[in-house]
Amino acid sequence: RKTDQTNLCLGLHSIPRHHPYYYALRILNAALGSGMSSRLFSVLREEQGLAYDVHSSVIFHRDCGALVVSAGVDPGKAEDALQVILEQLFDLINGISEEELHRAKQLTTGRLLLSMEDTYSSIQSIGGQHLITGKTETPAAITQDLLDVTLSQIRDLASSFITKDNICLSIVGPHKQSSKFDIILKG
């Protein structure tokens, strides 16, 4: 049976929910891989045609967190896609542009406000905040915290956890050996 897609998933340990750069990571994630104007979507899918789908997400708990990049790619393009994803990740250490920062803030705050229109999402947000932090913040306060994120916070945060020894890779697809992917990861 022929498999016509490879799924790549890169995970990096990041920061817990209570970390001072919590909002910066949400903005960094939006710039990297949330939405059609993100770096990963623009470069991997639109410019280079290396991915059917690509996005990033963040996970926050009390004592840990993760940044996750997921992509569905043609098996013959998996190595190239991994290389470009890593380049985009490590480029975050140099920071993002003012325009990317603005777009990421608009996307993140817009999605927050839209989610508050749904009762289930609102309750889930309030409950999650209370369970993890012991308090709840209003959508207006969260929006302001997101809008207050700076370019230097993004650079500082990225350089604190985007390292070669902090990347885990999972691949599902018709690949018999992982050695080529290991070489790319160790780069």
Side-chain angles (χ1 to χ4, degrees):
R1 176 180 160 209
K2 183 180 182 251
T3 303
D4 49 354
Q5 183 166 315
T6 292
N7 290 293
L8 303 171
C9 187
L10 282 84
L12 294 93
H13 292 280
S14 66
I15 59 173
R17 170 59 182 90
H18 66 275
H19 194 280
Y21 281 174
Y22 164 75
Y23 294 102
L25 185 53
R26 289 184 57 186
I27 298 297
L28 179 147
N29 174 63
L32 175 64
S34 186
M36 295 189 329
S37 65
S38 69
R39 285 183 174 200
L40 290 175
F41 190 90
S42 297
V43 174
L44 241 70
R45 183 179 158 98
E46 298 299 309
E47 291 175 19
Q48 298 190 22
L50 292 174
Y52 305 124
D53 177 48
V54 61
H55 61 275
S56 64
S57 58
V58 285
I59 301 166
F60 296 102
H61 297 291
R62 282 186 184 176
D63 59 349
C64 64
L67 172 68
V68 179
V69 176
S70 301
V73 303
D74 179 288
K77 297 179 179 180
E79 294 166 35
D80 292 337
L82 176 59
Q83 184 65 46
V84 173
I85 290 168
L86 290 170
E87 288 167 5
Q88 293 304 311
L89 265 173
F90 282 94
D91 191 46
L92 290 171
I93 295 170
N94 300 320
I96 62 174
S97 70
E98 192 73 52
E99 181 182 333
E100 286 177 297
L101 180 66
H102 176 74
R103 279 195 320 257
K105 286 179 179 183
Q106 293 300 103
L107 178 70
T108 307
T109 57
R111 284 184 175 173
L112 169 70
L113 296 176
L114 279 174
S115 74
M116 292 296 114
E117 292 180 6
D118 176 59
T119 304
Y120 180 76
S121 294
S122 296
I123 296 299
Q124 191 176 25
S125 174
I126 292 168
Q129 286 180 51
H130 191 72
L131 282 172
I132 294 176
T133 67
K135 61 181 181 170
T136 56
E137 295 178 281
T138 65
I142 296 169
T143 298
Q144 190 57 57
D145 287 336
L146 290 166
L147 293 174
D148 288 343
V149 170
T150 66
L151 292 171
S152 64
Q153 288 174 327
I154 298 286
R155 278 190 308 274
D156 292 347
L157 175 63
S159 60
S160 74
F161 78 95
I162 299 175
T163 62
K164 288 183 183 186
D165 62 343
N166 190 34
I167 297 175
C168 299
L169 173 65
S170 176
I171 302 170
V172 176
H175 304 279
K176 298 196 184 308
Q177 294 181 348
S178 65
S179 58
K180 292 179 183 178
F181 297 103
D182 289 337
I183 291 168
I184 295 168
L185 279 175
K186 293 175 184 170

